[in-house]
Amino acid sequence: MSNIPARVTLKGRLVTITPLDVAAHASSLYEAAGNEELWRYLFDGPFPDRSSFEENLKQKAASEDPLYFAIVDNSSGLAVGHAAYLRITPAHRVIEVGGILYTTRLQRTAGATEAMYLMARHVFDDLGYRRYEWKCNSRNEPSRRAAVRLGFQFEGIFRQHMIVKGQNRDTAWFSMCDHEWPARKANFERWLDPSNFDAGGGQRESLSRMNLAIGRPKPLHDCRGSD
């Protein structure tokens, strides 16, 4: 089994992760991603017009690392976001998830969580990776909260790590290891189960609380997993 990620399709109940395609996804993404705040902590954007947006999307669709996927809402068939696997290191079985754009149609929905579950499950269960990383600007509090909610462990801050859009970026590092995945996976599936939502779509139990109940993760040096 190759552990190099390919342009696969990952089907969920609410969303589908599918290879990013300009013809199929540009229109809905452009219409839903006009809010400049969505691009605040990303490496690119916002874009002045549709032409420049589509040219950027074309480059992303052709890239191998980062390897981009569209997040498609199953009910509407429209692309509502994108995400990528990057810093792909098969020899060490380490990979990162990033390049995450959640439009307002996807933010704070169960589909947003399912998208991250599908990508994590593919990394650990299908590709056999040992370490899954999440990194963000240390000032990006929503991203940091999301990482912890999803079950990643905070590892620290890389100070003066990058210059992005002319500004210093200190980078917050998070990870999830293969020995942690079974418990995280169970919580994802328990949270995503329709029985966890009331008639109005509200959650009965939070994913954050589920992951907190697992207990403190193993020390950082004990992220060995399988050899």
Side-chain angles (χ1 to χ4, degrees):
M1 178 185 72
S2 172
N3 62 354
I4 300 175
R7 288 181 166 84
V8 298
T9 296
L10 309 173
K11 180 78 172 179
R13 181 174 63 89
L14 304 170
V15 299
T16 296
I17 307 298
T18 190
L20 186 63
D21 179 86
V22 176
H25 306 131
S27 181
S28 56
L29 284 176
Y30 180 72
E31 291 173 3
N35 184 345
E36 291 190 6
E37 186 61 23
L38 296 177
W39 303 94
R40 181 177 180 183
Y41 293 112
L42 293 178
F43 290 105
D44 52 15
F47 300 93
D49 51 46
R50 180 163 180 160
S51 176
S52 58
F53 176 83
E54 290 191 359
E55 179 57 33
N56 176 268
L57 210 65
K58 182 179 179 180
Q59 294 173 17
K60 288 176 178 173
S63 172
E64 298 290 337
D65 186 352
L67 183 64
Y68 275 91
F69 295 85
I71 303 169
V72 176
D73 174 65
N74 288 344
S75 62
S76 67
L78 297 176
V80 290
H82 66 52
Y85 293 131
L86 63 154
R87 292 174 53 90
I88 302 165
T89 314
H92 301 294
R93 305 207 304 275
V94 174
I95 194 168
E96 179 182 344
V97 62
I100 300 172
L101 174 70
Y102 277 10
T103 68
T104 53
R105 296 173 181 170
L106 182 60
Q107 292 175 359
R108 304 185 69 81
T109 68
T113 299
E114 187 182 55
M116 291 297 99
Y117 160 70
L118 292 170
M119 293 186 73
R121 186 182 68 181
H122 183 56
V123 161
F124 288 115
D125 292 356
D126 301 333
L127 300 177
Y129 275 72
R130 304 168 61 244
R131 173 180 167 90
Y132 193 40
E133 298 178 339
W134 176 295
K135 303 184 186 81
C136 64
N137 191 310
S138 64
R139 296 180 179 180
N140 189 348
E141 290 294 339
S143 183
R144 294 180 65 166
R145 288 194 299 269
V148 173
R149 173 181 176 270
L150 294 170
F152 288 84
Q153 180 181 350
F154 176 63
E155 294 184 323
I157 303 291
F158 274 34
R159 298 179 301 158
Q160 296 187 190
H161 183 216
M162 297 178 179
I163 297 174
V164 179
K165 298 177 179 176
Q167 301 294 319
N168 174 67
R169 167 173 146 159
D170 296 339
T171 299
W173 285 54
F174 300 81
S175 72
M176 187 185 301
C177 292
D178 55 357
H179 64 266
E180 298 165 337
W181 171 241
R184 302 293 187 265
K185 178 182 180 180
N187 282 347
F188 270 122
E189 294 178 350
R190 178 178 160 199
W191 188 87
L192 288 165
D193 190 280
S195 65
N196 188 45
F197 298 89
D198 60 29
Q203 64 179 1
R204 299 183 189 279
E205 188 173 1
S206 75
L207 184 58
S208 295
R209 187 178 296 275
M210 291 179 186
N211 281 327
L212 185 63
I214 292 174
R216 293 181 62 84
K218 294 182 179 180
L220 296 182
H221 67 270
D222 196 18
C223 197
R224 295 187 296 265
S226 56
D227 294 329

